[in-house]
Amino acid sequence: MQVKKQLTLRAGTFLILFLFTSDKANTEFIIKSVNLFIQPRNEVQRGTNVSLICQAEVSQSPGSNPNYEYIFYKDYEMLLTEKTTATHWFYSIPDARVFHSGKYECAVVIGHQNKKSGSTDLTVKGLLTPVLSVDQQRLKEGDNVTAVCTAEGEMGSLMFSFRDGPVELYRKSTNTQKVEQKLAFEHKRMRTVNMFCYYSISLGSKIEISNNSNVIDIDIQELGITPEINVMPSANVIEGDLLTFSCNVDMTYQKNSELRISLVHGHTTLGLNMGQKTYNMSAKANDSGQYECIASLGAIHKSSSVNITVNQLFSVPALSIHPPEVFEGEHFDITCHTDIIASVRIQREDIKYFIYKEKTLVISNYRYSNTARNVTNGKYMCVAKANGIIKESSNVLFRAKVLVSQPEIRVDAPPVIVDKHFWIHCHSQNGSLPIIYTLKRNNITVNRTEVSNPHEKARFIAMISAPSDISSYFCEAENNGKISVKMSQRLNETVIVPVGKPLFTVIPIPGNIEEGEDVTLICGIPKGSPPINFSFYGNSHTPINTTTVQSNSSSFVLSAVSRQKSGNYYCEAFNLANKLSKSDIISIEVSLAKWKKILTVAFCLLILALVVIFIVLRYKAKRGRETYNPPASQAAHMPDLMPAFPKSDDFLIHESHYSGFSVGVNNKESVWSEKPPDISDEGILQLPNEGDVEYTEVVHSQPLDPTRIPLRKGTDTVYSELQTQGSPDHINHRELTSLLHLAKLLPFLLF
């Protein structure tokens, strides 16, 4: 741990010393400014001694002696560098030239510090006037003269130019003080060359030009090699005439082996070495023009020329075909003739004609006749000959036109749909254009069109209202008037009749449909081309059956229908015409089955009979109670009669409550007591099952005589008649409840 602390302390001490010494090195010298001075001044004349002084202003510690590095620049390029301890430095330019003009700068470097002065312009005026010299001033045409242009003492890249007045003879750039060049001159009558030279130097964006040098006159002696051209018999001849050309030069140069003489016509050299021979040729019409004799000796060329006019012996033949348009099977003539002849040389009978087909001779005559057919088609030309002159006509293509063939008629996009527009095409496989197509319907022209392009088609728009109308259309084609008319077959295409509104039928007739029966749905259309697509719909508006048939009707059977099948039904139909047609809606109501109806009627009759029986029984019971009224003397014995009264099991009485019994004796009045009797559990009137209801009727054959009722005390039997106290319209509640339960069960029995 102690060692680590010591190492850390030493490292810190070293860092402090390093920073101290570094800061001292950076702050020991400071370059405050650098200036560049030009002596004696910024603009001087050529030959002046110029000095560039670079001076630095530096702050330094006392006793220090820094090393200075001076760098001089011209036009931003380094000239030299110098290291010294002096606070300023000189760059000398002795005997300054224009080349030394430019922008100068200097820089001072001390250690890691660098500072540059501003730029200063130096301008040196005055270019030295060049001197021109030549090796000879009199020479022959084609000889060379050596010219030297010198700018003594000039420096830099110099551009020298040699001139003859305004005409520049030569130009060259060099870094030397002079240019030497060999120059050649061509002679012109009374020709003297006034030669001089000058030079220029580029100083950045501007160019300094020297004065012109001395002028030297150079005389040029012409070479006498200009040829003389002769033509025989004359310069104006007729085709077939013989032309003779000759070229002659001065005999002084005639024997010079380097002399070359040529005869040239346009760009074609006709003859060489014409100094020793002539050139002969038979004149033709296209030989008219300039003929030239050219004599060459070294680089010197001399020439002379003559214009030759060659008149036609006869004009170029022309081939013609009559008539200009010929159909196969028709007659045609080919003739060959010339319009112009030189009557001083020949007559028309002297010209011979030859007719060729595809370079094969057809006839040696000016006329050729034949019947047009496929083998006569081709390129024809004719040749005319007279006095050795042969001329050819241009090629003429003959192609017999083909009569139009029987047109074909068809529909653009079958099938055809009744009452909808469709396109009819007419086309002939053979036949020269243009072809006129005519669409007719039952011999009545519907429309006409002319086809002139091979890619063009004849199209007509049409519409039919019945399938039979399709065969009424046909077309005609012609390309050579009425005699070429060809008629097509009758149009025969598949015709689709759109479906009419469907007739929707239901069997059995709606209103007579019962549960469990089969219902047949029938959909028929009054018109429409098969196949027909029929769809049957129910309440859900989704197809319950879809079928495609070849007839105009279809059916679908709903087997053993239930009452849930009641609702609205309809059908739809369509075919290839894609016209959907919908029928009227029929409402179907499914009623109960017959056996359910019979059962319902029987049950209702049964209920009605039971109700009637009940009412009759009640009525009779009431009448019996109203008839019997016991005497008052017997009323005291009524309690003894109660045990003998039939129990509830013997008389089924549907009541929710009862009135007590009381028999009036003294007043002979039978009255129900106000207090209900005490009835034990065994004596409570029980309601039997509703399905097992029984009705008991008590019948009295005749009214009882109260005087005859035997009275007995104790166990003696007492005859009495019970009378219910209350309103005659009172109905037992338990009986009504039973009837209501039966009414509720009735729907379940029906369904």
Side-chain angles (χ1 to χ4, degrees), residues 559-571:
S559 302
V561 295
S562 61
R563 299 195 68 184
Q564 285 75 14
K565 295 295 183 179
S566 298
N568 295 326
Y569 288 79
Y570 64 93
C571 70

Side-chain angles (χ1 to χ4, degrees), residues 544-557:
I544 59 177
N545 178 258
T546 298
T547 183
T548 301
V549 298
Q550 295 296 325
S551 60
N552 60 354
S553 65
S554 180
S555 62
F556 175 68
V557 177

Side-chain angles (χ1 to χ4, degrees), residues 48-283:
T48 305
N49 294 327
V50 179
S51 296
L52 280 72
I53 304 170
C54 186
Q55 185 174 3
E57 184 181 355
V58 180
S59 297
Q60 59 189 41
S61 301
S64 61
N65 189 19
N67 289 322
Y68 294 82
E69 182 180 1
Y70 293 92
I71 304 173
F72 288 88
Y73 298 89
K74 179 193 176 189
D75 294 332
Y76 309 106
E77 293 186 1
M78 189 175 67
L79 287 174
L80 63 86
T81 178
E82 185 69 31
K83 293 182 179 180
T84 181
T85 58
T87 58
H88 61 275
W89 191 253
F90 295 88
Y91 174 68
S92 298
I93 305 175
D95 193 15
R97 302 292 181 182
V98 174
F99 166 75
H100 295 114
S101 299
K103 289 183 178 294
Y104 287 86
E105 297 174 302
C106 74
V108 176
V109 180
I110 302 176
H112 295 291
Q113 296 187 50
N114 185 347
K115 198 170 187 67
K116 184 181 285 189
S117 71
S119 62
T120 302
D121 291 332
L122 172 63
T123 303
V124 180
K125 293 286 188 178
L127 287 173
L128 181 67
T129 300
V131 177
L132 175 66
S133 62
V134 296
D135 61 346
Q136 55 179 331
Q137 290 183 263
R138 295 182 66 85
L139 65 156
K140 292 181 180 181
E141 187 178 9
D143 290 345
N144 295 327
V145 60
T146 301
V148 179
C149 187
T150 305
E152 192 69 35
E154 290 295 343
M155 302 174 61
S157 178
L158 305 178
M159 177 66 74
F160 287 91
S161 178
F162 296 87
R163 303 183 74 87
D164 175 16
V167 179
E168 185 174 63
L169 303 176
Y170 182 72
R171 175 184 289 191
K172 183 178 181 180
S173 177
T174 181
N175 290 320
T176 62
Q177 300 175 6
K178 68 177 181 178
V179 169
E180 182 178 327
Q181 182 63 33
K182 288 186 178 182
L183 302 174
F185 301 95
E186 293 183 3
H187 173 79
K188 294 183 180 179
R189 188 173 301 275
M190 302 301 290
R191 172 64 171 156
T192 299
V193 176
N194 306 116
M195 185 186 299
F196 64 91
C197 71
Y198 64 88
Y199 65 94
S200 62
I201 183 170
S202 177
L203 300 175
S205 61
K206 62 180 180 178
I207 297 175
E208 291 288 339
I209 301 175
S210 72
N211 295 326
N212 293 337
S213 71
N214 55 305
V215 179
I216 297 178
D217 295 332
I218 301 174
D219 295 328
I220 301 172
Q221 182 180 358
E222 181 183 6
L223 285 176
I225 60 172
T226 301
E228 179 184 358
I229 185 169
N230 296 304
V231 58
M232 295 296 291
S234 70
N236 192 341
V237 296
I238 298 176
E239 283 182 305
D241 291 350
L242 182 63
L243 283 173
T244 301
F245 293 91
S246 63
C247 298
N248 301 313
V249 297
D250 191 333
M251 293 300 296
T252 305
Y253 303 96
Q254 189 75 35
K255 296 180 180 181
N256 193 323
S257 61
E258 294 183 1
L259 182 64
R260 297 288 182 269
I261 302 175
S262 304
L263 178 64
V264 176
H265 175 45
H267 299 287
T268 304
T269 300
L270 300 178
L272 298 172
N273 299 323
M274 290 297 295
Q276 301 176 0
K277 62 180 181 180
T278 59
Y279 179 79
N280 301 316
M281 58 178 286
S282 177

Side-chain angles (χ1 to χ4, degrees), residues 11 18 37 54 61 107 127 149 232 281 286 295 329 348 389 391 429 432 446 468 528 571 573 664 674 744:
F18 174 77
F37 303 97
C54 186
S61 301
L127 287 173
C149 187
M232 295 296 291
M281 58 178 286
N286 55 359
R348 289 192 178 275
I389 301 300
K391 294 185 179 182
Q429 292 293 337
S432 300
V446 177
S468 60
C571 70
E674 298 295 328
K744 290 179 180 180

